[in-house]
Amino acid sequence: MDTPKTADIVIIGGGVMGASAAYHLAKRGIKNVVLLEKEELFGTGATGRCAGGVRYQFSTEINVKLSLESLPMIERFKEETGQDVDYRQCGYLLVATNEKDAQVFQHNVEIQNGLGVQTQLLSGDEVRERLPLMKFEDAIAGTFIPKDGLVDPNGVVAGYVSAAQKLGGKALTRAEATRICVSGDQVEGVETTQGEIQTRTVLNTAGPWAGLVGQMAGVQIPIVPIRRQMFTTNALKEIPADFPFVIDFAQSLYFHREGEGLLIGMSNQREKPGFDQSIDEEFEMENFEAALERMPLLERASRASHWAGLYEVTPDAHPIFGGSPVRGFTICAGFSGHGFMHGPVAGKLMTEYILDGKFSTVDVSMLDLARFEEGRLIKEYNVV
Ligand SMILES: Cc1cc2nc3c(=O)[nH]c(=O)nc-3n(C[C@H](O)[C@H](O)[C@H](O)COP(=O)(O)OP(=O)(O)OC[C@H]3O[C@@H](n4cnc5c(N)ncnc54)[C@H](O)[C@@H]3O)c2cc1C
């Protein structure tokens, strides 16, 4: 496709945020929206490398509210876009092994129940009953809700991109934004590796690269890339079809069913910010050993695949929605490792912001860029 010379809105970054925004803008009648992706395919950044988990279980009201809008959008996804995204409601089972986490779990359940999310608080014994294949002698509490689960990230991106195109939106791959033209304090255009586009509105959905895109417009965005990695196993016949997404909270160690086997990941707390997406083999061994302690049957497992991706981390682990000091330069990024599930509603919210000047579906106005300078940070405890 030829690069358009002008656009009403240019979206930089074709992961879940950019794809969702392109669709929602096109749905509201904006035909001249252009989605730019630097790679050969859409969704090969954080979105395509994520674990696909979707959950209601968060510790802040705003994140629960985002899930309350976004997860039903995923349930309706096929109806709306024609694309199957394989939503498996296997539930998330978060396990606490120390008093501090157990207290936080109780607080989280109160917040979630208060917003109508029926999360159950489990005792240590109930955790052990539900996970007979795992060794959780030290579990003292757990939380579970069956509606949490797994979704295919590539399906969500592909569904939104093709639905946006059907509505007249344009989507370009191998099109890297290299410069944002600003005149005075107003965006005037974007230079790309496929030519220049004049526009007065840019949406930065560059995920872990959003800070770099901000710099192109002269806007400081406090998002740092941090590597996370995971591996999958061969088929393990003992793992039941309804095995939940299990999180050993203190270790940030997680397991979920992937095909006939398991997907296993763990956050490396020593990881330094950076764009490296190669596998750290030494840490993978640490991850495997921690997983083996929890699930002895892994002794017979072999690795089927492994990969690394980048979290896009803000100082308070909450995303940034809205404008910036440069007029026309807007941001939807910084979801800090749990953004895939909020992508559907995030694209809708940015559409509301750009077209109506306000967020209607969920009030996310407190998640603006200015909060970092003004010290209005909001801490999310349930980051894995
Ligand atoms: C290992 C791992 C596990 C995760 N697990 C989960 C999970 O279970 N559940 C969940 O909800 N979230 C999870 N996440 C987080 C989730 O993947 C992200 O929050 C979400 O995908 C961010 O989407 P995005 O569209 O903002 O970023 P991305 O998907 O990274 O998209 C940004 C895109 O911008 C493109 N780009 C960058 N610069 C430019 C430029 N100059 N010009 C053009 N294009 C550009 C990139 O190539 C990229 O495709 C996980 C992340 C990782 C890394």
Side-chain angles (χ1 to χ4, degrees):
M1 178 190 282
D2 288 342
T3 308
K5 298 268 175 287
T6 61
D8 291 329
I9 299 162
V10 173
I11 303 172
I12 302 176
V16 69
M17 302 305 158
S20 171
Y23 166 69
H24 285 99
L25 284 160
K27 194 177 159 198
R28 285 277 305 267
I30 306 298
K31 303 284 178 222
N32 202 0
V33 54
V34 180
L35 174 63
L36 301 176
E37 170 53 51
K38 69 182 167 70
E39 301 296 336
E40 243 172 86
L41 297 169
F42 294 105
T44 49
T47 305
R49 294 159 189 260
C50 87
V54 302
R55 60 181 153 112
Y56 290 89
Q57 296 194 55
F58 280 98
S59 72
T60 61
E61 283 204 5
I62 190 65
N63 272 333
V64 179
K65 285 181 182 167
L66 288 170
S67 292
L68 278 166
E69 290 296 332
S70 210
L71 272 55
M73 290 170 79
I74 299 174
E75 287 191 61
R76 296 191 302 269
F77 200 86
K78 186 165 184 192
E79 212 177 291
E80 186 160 356
T81 66
Q83 172 78 42
D84 199 345
V85 293
D86 195 19
Y87 188 176
R88 284 161 284 160
Q89 297 189 338
C90 56
Y92 262 58
L93 204 170
L94 274 65
V95 184
T97 52
N98 62 59
E99 271 307 327
K100 182 172 162 260
D101 289 344
Q103 274 172 23
V104 174
F105 277 24
Q106 185 159 2
H107 172 75
N108 293 349
V109 169
E110 280 162 21
I111 289 185
Q112 291 157 21
N113 290 173
L115 290 165
V117 175
Q118 299 304 320
T119 314
Q120 306 156 28
L121 190 61
L122 309 176
S123 67
D125 282 340
E126 285 169 326
V127 168
R128 284 181 282 279
E129 265 163 41
R130 281 172 186 253
L131 299 174
L133 297 173
M134 302 191 76
K135 275 175 65 183
F136 265 120
E137 292 87 349
D138 51 345
I140 54 175
T143 57
F144 182 76
I145 173 166
K147 278 169 82 78
D148 286 351
L150 295 164
V151 175
D152 168 23
N154 295 318
V156 172
V157 172
Y160 275 145
V161 170
S162 67
Q165 286 171 319
K166 277 186 204 137
L167 291 165
K170 292 159 196 74
L172 307 175
T173 50
R174 294 197 201 97
E176 179 170 358
T178 50
R179 186 165 166 254
I180 294 172
C181 314
V182 178
S183 171
D185 66 350
Q186 168 66 51
V187 167
E188 297 281 356
V190 179
E191 281 180 17
T192 83
T193 46
Q194 291 188 25
E196 192 175 337
I197 308 171
Q198 285 179 12
T199 187
R200 288 175 68 80
T201 307
V202 165
L203 173 57
N204 176 0
T205 53
W209 298 269
L212 300 180
V213 170
Q215 281 170 23
M216 292 180 199
V219 175
Q220 288 304 316
I221 304 175
I223 293 178
V224 292
I226 298 189
R227 176 171 60 173
R228 294 287 181 245
Q229 62 187 48
M230 55 184 88
F231 62 92
T232 63
T233 72
N234 59 327
L236 294 165
K237 63 177 182 353
E238 296 88 342
I239 306 294
D242 62 351
F243 188 75
F245 194 131
V246 178
I247 304 180
D248 172 354
F249 199 73
Q251 295 197 85
S252 268
L253 168 67
Y254 56 88
F255 305 74
H256 74 67
R257 202 182 143 99
E258 183 81 357
E260 303 279 293
L262 283 175
L263 180 149
I264 298 171
M266 186 164 86
S267 296
N268 182 355
Q269 306 304 338
R270 303 183 301 276
E271 189 72 54
K272 300 265 181 304
F275 288 101
D276 182 8
Q277 296 193 77
S278 64
I279 303 274
D280 175 345
E281 299 275 355
E282 218 171 285
F283 184 73
E284 184 173 277
M285 190 44 72
E286 232 179 271
N287 183 357
F288 178 72
E289 278 164 10
L292 185 62
E293 287 258 313
R294 290 294 185 205
M295 192 181 261
L297 68 83
L298 287 173
E299 207 174 29
R300 286 182 286 105
S302 54
R303 191 182 68 201
S305 64
H306 61 173
W307 65 92
L310 301 171
Y311 274 15
E312 31 15 337
V313 180
T314 65
D316 64 2
H318 279 75
I320 302 168
F321 285 102
S324 73
V326 172
R327 279 191 294 146
F329 185 73
T330 62
I331 305 159
C332 176
F335 287 75
S336 305
H338 49 258
F340 163 60
M341 66 188 90
H342 291 159
V345 73
K348 187 174 181 209
L349 287 167
M350 285 312 295
T351 297
E352 292 167 359
Y353 180 81
I354 290 168
L355 301 185
D356 313 328
K358 63 177 189 328
F359 301 105
S360 309
T361 303
V362 181
D363 181 7
V364 288
S365 53
M366 80 295 271
L367 297 178
D368 56 346
L369 177 65
R371 76 180 184 275
F372 302 106
E373 277 203 359
E374 294 169 9
R376 289 183 279 107
L377 277 62
I378 302 157
K379 202 67 198 161
E380 170 59 59
Y381 194 76
N382 278 11
V383 180
V384 179

